[in-house]
């Protein structure tokens, strides 16, 4: 018979090391970013903030300045994030990176989570009515079953 050694609880060694959060400027994505930032702070994890630039072939074919518009959105998001980071500097310290991927939101977040070796993915709930029919990005990420996914309302 083997005598069992009492196990010692390890504090602060478990949990995600890389948290990916998808942002697109919508209210729900900004709430998701705030939730993810809190989780990253508590877990001492890296917060990878991901913006997926849509590839709109139809808009580009009609001469619309799609790339410039999506670049402006990305720059605005980075400015907002930097502002918020400075605002809480000294109160909350969060390690974060901003990444831009191209493609559809689902495919871009999957690629980001794979490349960044995400332990968790956080997204905002869809605010578009059409997603009830074709499925939201969040539902598709959950169905993929490759990472824990948290959907923030």
């Amino acid at each position: 018979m083997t005598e069992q050694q009492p196990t010692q609880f390890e504090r602060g060694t478990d949990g995600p090391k890389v948290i990916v959060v998808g942002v697109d400027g919508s209210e729900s994505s900004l709430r998701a970013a705030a939730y993810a930032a809190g989780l990253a702070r508590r877990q001492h994890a890296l917060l990878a903030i991901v913006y997926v630039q849509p590839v709109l072939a139809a808009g580009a074919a009609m001469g619309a300045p799609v790339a410039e518009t999506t670049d402006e959105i990305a720059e605005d998001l980075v400015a907002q994030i930097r502002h918020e980071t400075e605002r809480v500097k000294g109160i909350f310290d969060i390690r974060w990176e901003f990444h831009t991927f191209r493609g559809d939101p689902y495919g871009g977040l999957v690629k980001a989570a794979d490349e960044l070796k995400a332990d968790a993915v956080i997204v905002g709930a869809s605010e578009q009515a059409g997603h009830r029919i074709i499925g939201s990005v969040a539902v598709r990420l959950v169905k993929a079953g490759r990472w824990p996914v948290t959907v923030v309302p």
Side-chain angles (χ1 to χ4, degrees), residues 14 32 48 60 62 84 106 116 124 143 146 149:
D14 294 335
M62 299 174 101
E84 290 302 314
Y106 170 76
L116 299 170
K143 285 182 178 181
R146 294 164 62 180
V149 177

Side-chain angles (χ1 to χ4, degrees), residues 40-70:
R41 179 184 57 81
R42 289 185 299 279
Q43 296 291 332
H44 304 288
L46 172 66
L47 178 61
I49 302 163
V50 174
Y51 170 62
V52 180
Q53 283 186 304
V55 177
L56 304 172
M62 299 174 101
V66 174
E68 290 173 20
T69 302
T70 58

Side-chain angles (χ1 to χ4, degrees), residues 20-39:
V20 167
V21 62
V23 296
D24 60 7
S26 67
E27 286 297 318
S28 66
S29 78
L30 297 177
R31 284 191 299 272
Y35 176 87
L39 182 60

Side-chain angles (χ1 to χ4, degrees), residues 123-146:
V123 292
S126 176
E127 295 179 351
Q128 297 179 359
H131 286 170
R132 292 187 188 121
I133 299 166
I134 56 172
S136 69
V137 172
V139 169
R140 292 173 67 195
L141 288 168
V142 169
K143 285 182 178 181
R146 294 164 62 180

Side-chain angles (χ1 to χ4, degrees), residues 100-118:
T100 302
F101 287 81
R102 289 191 169 277
D104 68 285
Y106 170 76
L109 285 173
V110 167
K111 184 177 180 183
D114 284 344
E115 286 185 14
L116 299 170
K117 300 187 182 356

